Amino acid sequence: MSTLSLADWKSSTATLVLRHILAGALSLVVFFACMLVAGFGAERSLWFTLVTSVPWGVTFWLRYELGRRVLCASRRQLRLMLALRVLPVTVPLFVLTTEHLPDPALAAPVLAGGALLVVAVSLKALAQEEETRLQQGFLTTMTSGDAARVAAVCEVRLARVGDDPVKRGWLELNLARALHNTLLGSYQRKNLERAATILTRLSERDPDPVRRCIAADLLVDVANTFESTEGDFSAMERAVERLAAAARPLSHLPGVVLSVRLQRMELAYARLAWESARFVEGAPAPAPELVDDVLKACALALEVAPPSRRADLILRRAFMETMLYVNGLTAEAPDLDTVLEAVDRTPRHLALDRVAILPALAMLIDMGAPRLDQVTDVEQRIRSALATRLDGWMPALLETALAQVLLAAARLDPGSLDARLPAALRHFERAHDHAVTSSPERATNTAMAWGAAAAEHGLAQEAVKAYRKALESARRLALSALTRGQQEKIVREAQGAAAEAAHWLITERRYREAVVTLETSRALLLTDTVEREQIVGKLRALGHHRLADEHLELTGELRRLELLAAGPGESWILDPAARARRELITKARARWEALVEEIRTLPGFERFRAAPRYQDVQDASLITPLVYLFSGERGGYALTVVDGGRRPGLVRLPELTGEEVQDRVGAYRRGLAATDSLSQAEWREVLSGTLDWISVTITDPLLRALGPLDSVMLIPAGPLAALPLHATMLDRVTVAYTPNARVLSDAAARLPSAGSAHLMVADPGGDAGNRLHAVDDEITMVRRRFPGTRVLRVPRPQQVIAELPRHSIYHFACHGVVDHRDPLESSLLVSGRRITVKDILGERLPGARMAVLSACESGVPGASLLDEMVGLPSAMLQAGVPGIIGTLWQVDDFATLLMVMRFYELWDGGRRPPAQALRQAQRWMRDSTLTEFLRYVEGAVPWPYRLNRKARRDADHVRPYAHPDYWAAFTCTGI
């Protein structure tokens, strides 16, 4: 809400009210005196004055109560206030004329003239009051319903007001504020965008410095809303800079200084919250200076705050200190009694602020060690708040807070658990239901908290219900989000829900449902895109060519537009070009949804874009056996589906706990990130330790239960997707990875019947210290194996992208870069530039067969969205490549060359599946002696290392590439 008010320059609302009361009293005194002079007598004059005071009082109430809540009075209100103004004057005027005029015939004209005079004066007074409301109404608190009515009235008034810059300026300010306040009911991006457009224009071009400053202040609020819903504070940063610039001409006014400092405080907090969110996703921890910035900003605001604002600011500071502790950014918890005292000191007219801190207090109670009386006090405050008229997302927050407080009370008073636990779960459910309708982006988090509470107390059915709600909310929101960045933010919030739901389904022996739950949660965004692509062929096969053409055009347009805004969040609040792009996406998405509904009416297409069924998993398992692998707080499981089995197999992995997985994966990833600083021995120790743990914890019990199989397709969930699981199964089964069963089925359906046009992209890199010295030998090898290969040496990225659709097999010999913070920016480097995941996602390669990414870390998925497997292999899958060979870490140049040579030899133009050829090549790398390697490369490529006499003598026994560091990095994704 805006922190800037006209009262800072003119006078407070209380002063205005007092002035009107005194003016009304003076008017009544004058009225009484006039009655006496007219000869009515003291008794009748007093009676008329008292009668007059009633409608005047009602008029005053209408002006300051109804007018306070509804900014611009309706015609009905205006007529009522006009009648109440005219009535007290007309009645005594009528009595006067009938009793004292010498000629009764003059009574009618005098009465009419007096009435008209009173009407004219009243209309002028009402116009002045409306102008006052136009200038001050936007400062009042509005519910979303009030705001919608105010916005509608402002729209009508703007259409009639003409070119008066003063009236238009205040009306537009009110309209923008009302549009922003409608978001209290539900998040409507179009209202936020329109408010931002109006305020941007006013803050830049309005001739009145006061209105410019107020518009800039309101623009910060709009940008803050954008930050809290879409996770990008850069727009808020720019808005605060604009406010500071607009405030400079008015810096002599204390209210302006306070406003700027308050908004800087909000910005500091938003920046810290953003850094905290990135920390959860794997980025470095927020700098301590950011916490200090928030606290310093609070102190600076308090320095210039007038006494009337200090209680409000102390409450804000208490809220921020509470949230800093809740988010783990400060070690010392605020004193709960002190915070409650700050709440009590806050003026009653700031009721929304008094309510807004209650969810933070509930989190503080949940994390701390409160007394039972404190918990009961907060519980009563929350219940009182829920009993008042609240709209928007506040009921959802308060219901969640009440559930948390009830659980905390049950921990302090175990005897009340049986009564409080069911009540807490019902409040969680109500919170979720509120959020679905009023604030869908909060529904997933609410359901996750609900599920965690049920799981903590071993309530299987309740936990399954809650976690499924979380997955449903995330899926629904992600598939309707406008940009890839928004989709990823939504999906990230539901990570872990599928594994928890599957665990509790397994305890209920509902194995098929557990498989479907895991299938639903894996690679949601990739699967949606793949389904968009595969439907075209089905439509053409059944003669629906118009729909196929329209679908092809729309999917291509959507893909291009979505990737233009694919980052964590565009600052379209202050960027007209970004807003225009989003408008195009919105229109294209609406056409796409209409087309989906039309396609669903066709026979056989009823389940287009529907949630998966177990039948989909059974069909994929006929291609190759599937293994869903996941961990949880209470241990891990593998669910296996073989040859279309009606009942999945279950393998319990009790040592695969969530905590153990996090520790092991964390150590492995830290080792990967530090390969430049670690010695080879240190990195190999990390890798060997990881593989030993995988063997004991996962591989041995899993393969014992599976029995003899030629191949399996692993679908690891969560952090397990980052591990080289295949390396521990090398001697027992062929392993490949797939995002989920439906993507595997699609890849199998897209296998080309023929085609062997090879494209090789080669770039050794220009840095001598980081140059790939074996690239020339790799080119020679590929050309010898596949004559006619098109080789692009150090090409431009655009040239590579243009060549991809003309070939079916791609070989990249270059550097690769993985971006864990933004996986869409992971890339292959050519001619010093990047071919990113985003670039590949924008392509369609229907005739492709395989991509060999002989580049460092080309198979690593993004750390923040492991279940989505965002990375180069998934991008290739989405573009239409059925099989991808990638790497998980940097591998020795010559070892890579040997691996690729042997792989192509064993693959033999497609006579073996890529996963089988890769497994055999890896075993060959591990087991071959130096003599065998020398014999293999003789006449093809020179051996790059000098061999001394001892090495030649031991050549029959030494296995130079036996360590997994040389071969375990290579993975096969797809088929």
Side-chain angles (χ1 to χ4, degrees):
M1 294 176 60
S2 178
T3 58
L4 195 61
S5 71
L6 285 179
D8 292 324
W9 293 285
K10 298 183 178 179
S11 58
S12 67
T13 303
T15 305
L16 287 175
V17 172
L18 181 61
R19 285 181 182 176
H20 279 279
I21 290 175
L22 292 174
L26 181 62
S27 299
L28 291 174
V29 170
V30 172
F31 183 78
F32 176 74
C34 290
M35 293 294 99
L36 286 175
V37 172
F40 283 89
E43 185 177 346
R44 294 182 70 193
S45 297
L46 181 60
W47 183 83
F48 275 128
T49 302
L50 291 175
V51 171
T52 301
S53 66
V54 174
W56 275 94
V58 174
T59 305
F60 181 85
W61 176 78
L62 282 169
R63 284 154 56 194
Y64 287 97
E65 291 299 321
L66 293 181
R68 180 176 62 84
R69 289 187 287 113
V70 181
L71 173 62
C72 300
S74 65
R75 289 180 178 277
R76 190 173 178 182
Q77 278 182 283
L78 287 172
R79 285 197 295 269
L80 178 58
M81 285 193 281
L82 183 61
L84 289 169
R85 280 179 174 270
V86 173
L87 181 65
V89 180
T90 306
V91 171
L93 186 62
F94 174 75
V95 175
L96 177 67
T97 55
T98 55
E99 290 189 1
H100 294 276
L101 285 177
D103 184 358
L106 296 175
V110 171
L111 182 62
L116 286 175
L117 180 61
V118 171
V119 168
V121 172
S122 299
L123 285 174
K124 177 65 176 174
L126 288 173
Q128 291 176 343
E129 287 170 14
E130 182 176 304
E131 188 69 25
T132 300
R133 282 196 301 278
L134 286 175
Q135 295 185 18
Q136 295 193 6
F138 71 92
L139 304 174
T140 64
T141 300
M142 290 179 278
T143 66
S144 62
D146 293 335
R149 290 191 294 274
V150 171
V153 172
C154 287
E155 296 274 19
V156 173
R157 295 297 174 87
L158 277 169
R160 299 175 180 172
V161 77
D163 297 327
D164 186 335
V166 175
K167 289 185 177 180
R168 287 197 71 85
W170 291 120
L171 275 170
E172 286 184 332
L173 272 178
N174 280 296
L175 175 60
R177 173 65 185 278
L179 289 170
H180 183 220
N181 277 32
T182 60
L183 304 177
L184 293 171
S186 61
Y187 181 59
Q188 303 176 57
R189 189 178 288 107
K190 63 179 181 181
N191 285 356
L192 193 62
E193 180 176 344
R194 183 135 186 253
T197 303
I198 293 170
L199 295 171
T200 301
R201 186 179 69 252
L202 289 174
S203 65
E204 289 176 347
R205 304 174 191 168
D206 196 287
D208 184 352
V210 171
R211 278 198 303 274
R212 272 203 312 275
C213 198
I214 295 173
D217 188 67
L218 289 172
L219 187 60
V220 179
D221 294 331
V222 171
N224 197 1
T225 300
F226 173 69
E227 181 277 326
S228 64
T229 53
E230 304 199 18
D232 178 23
F233 75 91
S234 59
M236 188 177 176
E237 204 166 35
R238 293 166 60 188
V240 169
E241 291 172 2
R242 182 169 296 186
L243 170 61
R248 284 191 194 104
L250 306 169
S251 58
H252 59 285
L253 299 171
V256 177
V257 177
L258 173 62
S259 176
V260 174
R261 291 191 178 184
L262 282 174
Q263 297 292 27
R264 289 197 185 282
M265 178 180 75
E266 297 290 348
L267 173 61
Y269 182 74
R271 183 184 289 115
L272 180 61
W274 188 75
E275 290 287 347
S276 302
R278 292 178 63 209
F279 172 60
V280 172
E281 297 164 10
E289 294 79 13
L290 292 178
V291 178
D292 293 338
D293 288 345
V294 174
L295 299 177
K296 286 177 184 175
C298 288
L300 288 172
L302 274 168
E303 280 181 8
V304 295
S308 61
R309 297 297 304 275
R310 289 190 65 81
D312 174 29
L313 290 180
I314 290 171
L315 183 65
R316 287 190 187 210
R317 184 178 64 184
F319 171 78
M320 289 186 175
E321 288 174 346
T322 301
M323 294 308 297
L324 290 174
Y325 174 74
V326 166
N327 290 319
L329 299 172
T330 53
E332 186 176 350
D335 180 65
L336 190 54
D337 287 328
T338 303
V339 178
L340 290 173
E341 184 180 348
V343 174
D344 291 333
R345 288 182 179 178
T346 307
R348 292 285 175 184
H349 70 274
L350 296 173
L352 192 59
D353 291 341
R354 294 163 62 96
V355 170
I357 197 173
L358 293 176
L361 293 181
M363 288 188 279
L364 181 60
I365 286 172
D366 188 49
M367 293 181 62
R371 302 188 308 271
L372 184 58
D373 64 299
Q374 293 174 322
V375 177
T376 305
D377 183 9
V378 174
E379 178 187 346
Q380 292 306 317
R381 291 170 187 265
I382 296 173
R383 290 189 185 277
S384 298
L386 283 169
T388 61
R389 179 176 174 244
L390 295 169
D391 61 359
W393 57 68
M394 189 55 71
L397 291 178
L398 290 176
E399 292 281 2
T400 302
L402 183 53
Q404 291 173 324
V405 168
L406 286 170
L407 291 174
R411 287 195 295 270
L412 293 171
D413 180 14
S416 65
L417 181 63
D418 291 343
R420 284 183 163 135
L421 178 58
L425 295 175
R426 295 292 67 77
H427 283 296
F428 273 127
E429 186 169 10
R430 280 205 289 269
H432 173 267
D433 293 342
H434 272 298
V436 166
T437 56
S438 64
S439 181
E441 67 277 1
R442 299 176 189 269
T444 302
N445 284 335
T446 304
M448 292 291 285
W450 173 18
E456 181 183 353
H457 294 89
L459 302 176
Q461 293 185 6
E462 189 79 16
V464 168
K465 180 180 180 181
Y467 285 123
R468 280 183 163 177
K469 292 280 189 183
L471 292 170
E472 289 168 9
S473 297
R475 184 176 189 275
R476 182 172 57 251
L477 269 179
L479 296 184
S480 63
L482 288 185
T483 68
R484 179 76 183 217
Q486 292 172 14
Q487 290 174 329
E488 291 183 4
K489 181 177 182 291
I490 292 163
V491 170
R492 189 177 297 118
E493 291 173 351
Q495 288 194 117
E500 284 297 312
H503 165 79
W504 292 107
L505 285 165
I506 288 170
T507 62
E508 298 272 294
R509 305 183 68 80
R510 295 154 64 183
Y511 300 157
R512 288 168 61 119
E513 292 177 62
V515 166
V516 172
T517 299
L518 293 168
E519 175 69 16
T520 303
S521 68
R522 286 284 294 170
L524 175 64
L525 306 181
L526 171 61
T527 306
D528 180 55
T529 305
V530 167
E531 284 186 348
R532 289 187 199 174
E533 304 296 338
Q534 70 179 182
I535 202 70
V536 174
K538 296 178 182 178
L539 288 170
R540 291 199 192 283
L542 294 175
H544 303 293
H545 297 290
R546 179 191 65 81
L547 290 175
D549 292 340
E550 190 174 347
H551 185 282
L552 196 63
E553 177 188 352
L554 267 177
T555 51
E557 182 181 353
L558 268 177
R559 184 185 296 201
R560 288 190 299 273
L561 289 172
E562 288 169 353
L563 290 172
L564 284 174
E570 275 197 308
S571 298
W572 52 268
I573 287 293
L574 299 176
D575 187 346
R579 286 203 298 273
R581 283 197 297 272
R582 294 174 76 89
E583 185 63 27
L584 290 174
I585 295 173
T586 302
K587 291 178 179 177
R589 181 59 67 90
R591 289 162 54 205
W592 156 252
E593 294 295 344
L595 181 64
V596 168
E597 292 304 317
E598 184 177 358
I599 292 173
R600 282 177 175 165
T601 63
L602 301 175
F605 292 87
E606 296 85 357
R607 291 193 50 78
F608 176 44
R609 289 191 94 209
R613 302 167 300 175
Y614 186 69
Q615 179 64 51
D616 299 323
V617 179
Q618 286 179 294
D619 293 343
S621 72
L622 296 173
I623 302 169
T624 185
L626 304 177
V627 177
Y628 292 86
L629 190 64
F630 67 98
S631 63
E633 291 184 12
R634 301 151 198 86
Y637 302 92
L639 287 164
T640 62
V641 186
V642 180
D643 294 333
R646 292 181 57 82
R647 178 179 172 84
L650 174 67
V651 182
R652 297 182 186 275
L653 306 169
E655 302 301 317
L656 195 66
T657 63
E659 184 178 356
E660 180 72 9
V661 169
Q662 290 290 353
D663 290 344
R664 292 288 182 171
V665 173
Y668 165 74
R669 294 188 77 95
R670 285 192 295 273
L672 271 181
T675 48
D676 290 339
S677 58
L678 291 178
S679 67
Q680 186 182 60
E682 289 172 326
W683 157 241
R684 288 185 175 182
E685 183 179 353
V686 171
L687 178 59
S688 297
T690 302
L691 294 178
D692 290 343
W693 174 78
I694 293 173
S695 294
V696 173
T697 308
I698 301 173
T699 303
D700 292 344
L702 173 62
L703 295 186
R704 275 198 305 269
L706 279 175
L709 287 174
D710 293 330
S711 63
V712 295
M713 191 67 68
L714 290 183
I715 308 175
L720 294 173
L723 296 175
L725 303 169
H726 61 284
T728 62
M729 307 181 189
L730 200 62
D731 293 320
R732 302 163 76 172
V733 67
T734 297
V735 176
Y737 298 90
T738 182
N740 60 36
R742 289 160 295 160
V743 170
L744 173 63
S745 296
D746 176 72
R750 282 186 292 160
L751 285 174
S753 56
S756 59
H758 285 65
L759 173 69
M760 182 170 187
V761 179
D763 185 349
D767 185 354
N770 199 29
R771 189 175 179 83
L772 301 175
H773 299 285
V775 166
D776 289 336
D777 293 329
E778 208 164 327
I779 293 173
T780 302
M781 177 273 298
V782 170
R783 276 181 163 162
R784 181 179 295 131
R785 175 63 58 183
F786 304 108
T789 295
R790 168 95 159 110
V791 177
L792 299 178
R793 187 177 178 86
V794 196
R796 298 186 309 276
Q798 299 89 333
Q799 186 180 0
V800 176
I801 296 296
E803 286 289 336
L804 290 177
R806 302 174 188 149
H807 300 82
S808 59
I809 299 170
Y810 316 116
H811 184 105
F812 288 84
C814 57
H815 283 292
V817 176
V818 60
D819 190 327
H820 290 295
R821 295 184 183 180
D822 186 1
L824 290 172
E825 293 300 323
S826 295
S827 57
L828 300 167
L829 299 181
V830 291
S831 65
R833 301 174 187 174
R834 302 189 304 165
I835 301 175
T836 65
V837 169
K838 190 188 303 185
D839 296 329
I840 297 169
L841 286 174
E843 295 304 306
R844 183 179 289 109
L845 307 171
R849 171 58 188 98
M850 183 175 67
V852 177
L853 308 179
S854 177
C856 303
E857 301 181 322
S858 57
V860 178
S864 61
L865 274 175
L866 286 168
D867 276 338
E868 282 301 307
M869 293 186 69
V870 181
L872 291 165
S874 65
M876 288 287 184
L877 275 172
Q878 182 169 321
V881 184
I884 300 95
I885 306 297
T887 62
L888 297 179
W889 58 79
Q890 297 181 18
V891 181
D892 176 84
D893 278 6
F894 197 70
T896 299
L897 172 62
L898 291 172
M899 174 67 73
V900 171
M901 287 176 64
R902 185 61 174 161
F903 166 76
Y904 277 132
E905 181 181 359
L906 293 166
W907 181 59
D908 197 16
R911 290 181 174 83
R912 285 189 181 88
Q916 184 181 345
L918 180 63
R919 177 196 175 199
Q920 292 181 10
Q922 288 173 315
R923 294 177 65 182
W924 173 80
M925 281 286 292
R926 182 194 63 186
D927 298 337
S928 294
T929 63
L930 178 57
T931 300
E932 290 169 329
F933 279 125
L934 292 171
R935 191 178 302 124
Y936 181 76
V937 300
E938 187 176 2
V941 293
W943 187 259
Y945 310 113
R946 182 185 301 178
L947 299 176
N948 57 29
R949 184 178 304 172
K950 183 178 184 304
R952 293 183 182 278
R953 186 175 62 247
D954 297 335
D956 291 338
H957 310 290
V958 172
R959 293 183 296 161
Y961 297 116
H963 197 277
D965 180 29
Y966 292 111
W967 49 264
F970 294 89
T971 66
C972 178
T973 302
I975 189 170

mmCIF file of all heavy atoms in Angstrom, residues 418-435:
data_model
loop_
_atom_site.group_PDB
_atom_site.id
_atom_site.type_symbol
_atom_site.label_atom_id
_atom_site.label_comp_id
_atom_site.label_asym_id
_atom_site.label_seq_id
_atom_site.Cartn_x
_atom_site.Cartn_y
_atom_site.Cartn_z
ATOM 1 N N ASP A 418 -5.379 -34.844 20.137
ATOM 2 C CA ASP A 418 -6.516 -35.483 19.466
ATOM 3 C C ASP A 418 -7.561 -34.471 19.019
ATOM 4 O O ASP A 418 -8.254 -34.698 18.017
ATOM 5 C CB ASP A 418 -7.163 -36.507 20.402
ATOM 6 C CG ASP A 418 -6.271 -37.717 20.636
ATOM 7 O OD1 ASP A 418 -5.335 -37.901 19.824
ATOM 8 O OD2 ASP A 418 -6.486 -38.443 21.621
ATOM 9 N N ALA A 419 -7.681 -33.376 19.730
ATOM 10 C CA ALA A 419 -8.657 -32.360 19.348
ATOM 11 C C ALA A 419 -8.071 -31.351 18.363
ATOM 12 O O ALA A 419 -8.737 -30.932 17.405
ATOM 13 C CB ALA A 419 -9.167 -31.630 20.594
ATOM 14 N N ARG A 420 -6.808 -30.977 18.591
ATOM 15 C CA ARG A 420 -6.225 -29.896 17.791
ATOM 16 C C ARG A 420 -5.717 -30.361 16.429
ATOM 17 O O ARG A 420 -5.761 -29.603 15.461
ATOM 18 C CB ARG A 420 -5.095 -29.228 18.579
ATOM 19 C CG ARG A 420 -5.614 -28.300 19.675
ATOM 20 C CD ARG A 420 -4.491 -27.604 20.380
ATOM 21 N NE ARG A 420 -4.963 -26.453 21.129
ATOM 22 C CZ ARG A 420 -4.598 -26.167 22.369
ATOM 23 N NH1 ARG A 420 -3.749 -26.973 23.002
ATOM 24 N NH2 ARG A 420 -5.062 -25.092 22.984
ATOM 25 N N LEU A 421 -5.206 -31.592 16.325
ATOM 26 C CA LEU A 421 -4.668 -32.060 15.052
ATOM 27 C C LEU A 421 -5.726 -32.103 13.954
ATOM 28 O O LEU A 421 -5.506 -31.555 12.866
ATOM 29 C CB LEU A 421 -4.004 -33.429 15.221
ATOM 30 C CG LEU A 421 -3.443 -34.055 13.935
ATOM 31 C CD1 LEU A 421 -2.408 -33.143 13.282
ATOM 32 C CD2 LEU A 421 -2.833 -35.425 14.229
ATOM 33 N N PRO A 422 -6.898 -32.736 14.162
ATOM 34 C CA PRO A 422 -7.914 -32.721 13.096
ATOM 35 C C PRO A 422 -8.339 -31.302 12.720
ATOM 36 O O PRO A 422 -8.551 -31.002 11.542
ATOM 37 C CB PRO A 422 -9.079 -33.514 13.699
ATOM 38 C CG PRO A 422 -8.467 -34.347 14.768
ATOM 39 C CD PRO A 422 -7.344 -33.542 15.319
ATOM 40 N N ALA A 423 -8.454 -30.422 13.745
ATOM 41 C CA ALA A 423 -8.828 -29.036 13.447
ATOM 42 C C ALA A 423 -7.764 -28.358 12.596
ATOM 43 O O ALA A 423 -8.070 -27.630 11.640
ATOM 44 C CB ALA A 423 -9.038 -28.270 14.751
ATOM 45 N N ALA A 424 -6.485 -28.601 12.930
ATOM 46 C CA ALA A 424 -5.393 -27.994 12.157
ATOM 47 C C ALA A 424 -5.422 -28.464 10.706
ATOM 48 O O ALA A 424 -5.258 -27.664 9.769
ATOM 49 C CB ALA A 424 -4.045 -28.335 12.791
ATOM 50 N N LEU A 425 -5.649 -29.741 10.486
ATOM 51 C CA LEU A 425 -5.679 -30.268 9.117
ATOM 52 C C LEU A 425 -6.834 -29.682 8.319
ATOM 53 O O LEU A 425 -6.709 -29.402 7.127
ATOM 54 C CB LEU A 425 -5.773 -31.797 9.147
ATOM 55 C CG LEU A 425 -4.553 -32.502 9.759
ATOM 56 C CD1 LEU A 425 -4.798 -34.004 9.848
ATOM 57 C CD2 LEU A 425 -3.291 -32.218 8.957
ATOM 58 N N ARG A 426 -7.989 -29.486 8.985
ATOM 59 C CA ARG A 426 -9.124 -28.890 8.286
ATOM 60 C C ARG A 426 -8.840 -27.428 7.933
ATOM 61 O O ARG A 426 -9.266 -26.931 6.890
ATOM 62 C CB ARG A 426 -10.379 -28.993 9.140
ATOM 63 C CG ARG A 426 -10.870 -30.387 9.415
ATOM 64 C CD ARG A 426 -11.419 -31.124 8.167
ATOM 65 N NE ARG A 426 -10.439 -31.456 7.144
ATOM 66 C CZ ARG A 426 -9.568 -32.481 7.223
ATOM 67 N NH1 ARG A 426 -9.563 -33.273 8.269
ATOM 68 N NH2 ARG A 426 -8.741 -32.728 6.230
ATOM 69 N N HIS A 427 -8.127 -26.729 8.820
ATOM 70 C CA HIS A 427 -7.772 -25.342 8.504
ATOM 71 C C HIS A 427 -6.778 -25.300 7.338
ATOM 72 O O HIS A 427 -6.852 -24.398 6.488
ATOM 73 C CB HIS A 427 -7.192 -24.650 9.735
ATOM 74 C CG HIS A 427 -8.225 -24.241 10.739
ATOM 75 N ND1 HIS A 427 -9.197 -23.305 10.480
ATOM 76 C CD2 HIS A 427 -8.453 -24.666 12.020
ATOM 77 C CE1 HIS A 427 -9.972 -23.155 11.545
ATOM 78 N NE2 HIS A 427 -9.546 -23.971 12.492
ATOM 79 N N PHE A 428 -5.839 -26.238 7.281
ATOM 80 C CA PHE A 428 -4.951 -26.322 6.113
ATOM 81 C C PHE A 428 -5.764 -26.529 4.841
ATOM 82 O O PHE A 428 -5.507 -25.900 3.801
ATOM 83 C CB PHE A 428 -3.961 -27.474 6.282
ATOM 84 C CG PHE A 428 -2.704 -27.114 7.021
ATOM 85 C CD1 PHE A 428 -2.288 -27.851 8.120
ATOM 86 C CD2 PHE A 428 -1.919 -26.050 6.608
ATOM 87 C CE1 PHE A 428 -1.123 -27.530 8.796
ATOM 88 C CE2 PHE A 428 -0.743 -25.717 7.281
ATOM 89 C CZ PHE A 428 -0.349 -26.464 8.377
ATOM 90 N N GLU A 429 -6.739 -27.423 4.899
ATOM 91 C CA GLU A 429 -7.547 -27.704 3.711
ATOM 92 C C GLU A 429 -8.339 -26.473 3.290
ATOM 93 O O GLU A 429 -8.432 -26.153 2.100
ATOM 94 C CB GLU A 429 -8.488 -28.877 3.985
ATOM 95 C CG GLU A 429 -9.260 -29.322 2.752
ATOM 96 C CD GLU A 429 -9.996 -30.638 2.961
ATOM 97 O OE1 GLU A 429 -10.066 -31.110 4.119
ATOM 98 O OE2 GLU A 429 -10.504 -31.196 1.965
ATOM 99 N N ARG A 430 -8.915 -25.768 4.279
ATOM 100 C CA ARG A 430 -9.654 -24.552 3.950
ATOM 101 C C ARG A 430 -8.724 -23.498 3.354
ATOM 102 O O ARG A 430 -9.105 -22.769 2.431
ATOM 103 C CB ARG A 430 -10.352 -24.004 5.198
ATOM 104 C CG ARG A 430 -11.636 -24.725 5.531
ATOM 105 C CD ARG A 430 -12.578 -23.833 6.341
ATOM 106 N NE ARG A 430 -12.109 -23.623 7.687
ATOM 107 C CZ ARG A 430 -12.437 -24.387 8.722
ATOM 108 N NH1 ARG A 430 -13.243 -25.430 8.553
ATOM 109 N NH2 ARG A 430 -11.976 -24.128 9.930
ATOM 110 N N ALA A 431 -7.514 -23.416 3.895
ATOM 111 C CA ALA A 431 -6.546 -22.465 3.347
ATOM 112 C C ALA A 431 -6.249 -22.786 1.883
ATOM 113 O O ALA A 431 -6.183 -21.875 1.040
ATOM 114 C CB ALA A 431 -5.258 -22.499 4.171
ATOM 115 N N HIS A 432 -6.061 -24.063 1.582
ATOM 116 C CA HIS A 432 -5.800 -24.450 0.197
ATOM 117 C C HIS A 432 -6.982 -24.098 -0.700
ATOM 118 O O HIS A 432 -6.810 -23.561 -1.802
ATOM 119 C CB HIS A 432 -5.515 -25.952 0.118
ATOM 120 C CG HIS A 432 -5.397 -26.460 -1.285
ATOM 121 N ND1 HIS A 432 -6.477 -26.992 -1.977
ATOM 122 C CD2 HIS A 432 -4.353 -26.494 -2.152
ATOM 123 C CE1 HIS A 432 -6.099 -27.332 -3.180
ATOM 124 N NE2 HIS A 432 -4.821 -27.046 -3.319
ATOM 125 N N ASP A 433 -8.190 -24.378 -0.245
ATOM 126 C CA ASP A 433 -9.373 -24.086 -1.058
ATOM 127 C C ASP A 433 -9.520 -22.588 -1.292
ATOM 128 O O ASP A 433 -9.890 -22.157 -2.388
ATOM 129 C CB ASP A 433 -10.627 -24.644 -0.378
ATOM 130 C CG ASP A 433 -10.635 -26.164 -0.326
ATOM 131 O OD1 ASP A 433 -9.869 -26.768 -1.099
ATOM 132 O OD2 ASP A 433 -11.386 -26.736 0.478
ATOM 133 N N HIS A 434 -9.242 -21.777 -0.269
ATOM 134 C CA HIS A 434 -9.262 -20.315 -0.450
ATOM 135 C C HIS A 434 -8.235 -19.903 -1.495
ATOM 136 O O HIS A 434 -8.512 -19.080 -2.367
ATOM 137 C CB HIS A 434 -8.935 -19.618 0.873
ATOM 138 C CG HIS A 434 -10.120 -19.361 1.750
ATOM 139 N ND1 HIS A 434 -11.172 -18.557 1.369
ATOM 140 C CD2 HIS A 434 -10.417 -19.795 2.995
ATOM 141 C CE1 HIS A 434 -12.063 -18.507 2.344
ATOM 142 N NE2 HIS A 434 -11.632 -19.249 3.347
ATOM 143 N N ALA A 435 -7.031 -20.459 -1.376
ATOM 144 C CA ALA A 435 -5.941 -20.049 -2.270
ATOM 145 C C ALA A 435 -6.234 -20.420 -3.722
ATOM 146 O O ALA A 435 -5.874 -19.668 -4.630
ATOM 147 C CB ALA A 435 -4.630 -20.689 -1.818
#
